[in-house]
Amino acid sequence: MIVRTFEFNPISENTYIAYDETNECVVIDPGCFYPDEKAELFNFITDKELIVKHLINTHLHFDHVFGSSFVEEQFQIKTEANKNDEFLLEQMPKQLQMFGFKDANTKAPQIGKYLKENDVITFGKQRMIVLEVPGHSPGSVVFYNQDAGCIFVGDVLFRGSVGRTDLAGGSHIQLITGIKQKLLTLPYETIVYPGHGPTTTIGYEAKNNPYLQ
């Protein structure tokens, strides 16, 4: 499986496209905000002749869904996310104002499917398992591809840090418990693709992350 990372919007959010030799792909957390960012994402998909099978979100904070409606419209597909985060879409104008995006004309995505624990997302020859790891947001989920040895964690886990828990529905205890029970039990060589910042591995975080000791 090939993973292409894009760093989008003023909050430096990581958007991912994962695909394989079949040319089927998934778009994960489309945070493209500016027109040139949307064009970059669109051109990559079309230039590679990729077929978008799923548009999936680890959670629904605004910086991870800036480009969701654009992807929905361009590729005739609906967002898939956990139901417990749906309230965040209603609060998006408030979120944007709180973070200084007063004039952002961002259309909330339409959830076409609710993702829950142990759901399986398939595309090409790939298989991703959905794991619920709330705490950063009530509906935070991660996508684990065992065969590819990687996991997309959104804002649950970062290199040397964890997601903030002071936003609506956050819980530090819940987050740390979920990370320890569901992420640190994975093979240590598993590559971690976070919602912000550089990639890491489960093993590195288990041994070095100060929040997990």
Side-chain angles (χ1 to χ4, degrees), residues 79-138:
T79 295
E80 301 175 31
N82 186 271
K83 184 175 177 60
N84 291 331
D85 263 13
E86 193 166 29
F87 78 100
L88 291 171
L89 299 180
E90 299 171 4
Q91 292 186 359
M92 189 174 294
K94 183 179 178 181
Q95 288 184 54
L96 291 170
Q97 190 171 27
M98 182 171 66
F99 282 86
F101 292 91
K102 296 180 180 179
D103 299 322
N105 184 21
T106 300
K107 180 181 176 183
Q110 298 181 31
I111 299 181
K113 180 181 179 181
Y114 295 120
L115 298 176
K116 60 185 184 302
E117 183 82 4
N118 292 324
D119 277 354
V120 179
I121 297 167
T122 59
F123 61 101
K125 299 178 180 179
Q126 309 305 313
R127 187 174 184 269
M128 288 183 175
I129 304 296
V130 177
L131 301 175
E132 296 180 4
V133 189
H136 174 65
S137 71

Side-chain angles (χ1 to χ4, degrees), residues 129-186:
I129 304 296
V130 177
L131 301 175
E132 296 180 4
V133 189
H136 174 65
S137 71
S140 285
V141 296
V142 302
F143 308 118
Y144 176 48
N145 187 328
Q146 181 177 5
D147 291 339
C150 68
I151 188 166
F152 299 87
V153 298
D155 290 359
V156 167
L157 179 66
F158 304 116
R159 182 176 176 86
S161 188
V162 297
R164 61 186 295 181
T165 56
D166 59 336
L167 300 174
S171 167
H172 185 74
I173 293 175
Q174 194 177 35
L175 177 65
I176 299 302
T177 300
I179 292 172
K180 288 183 175 180
Q181 292 180 348
K182 295 185 179 179
L183 301 190
L184 297 191
T185 53
L186 299 175

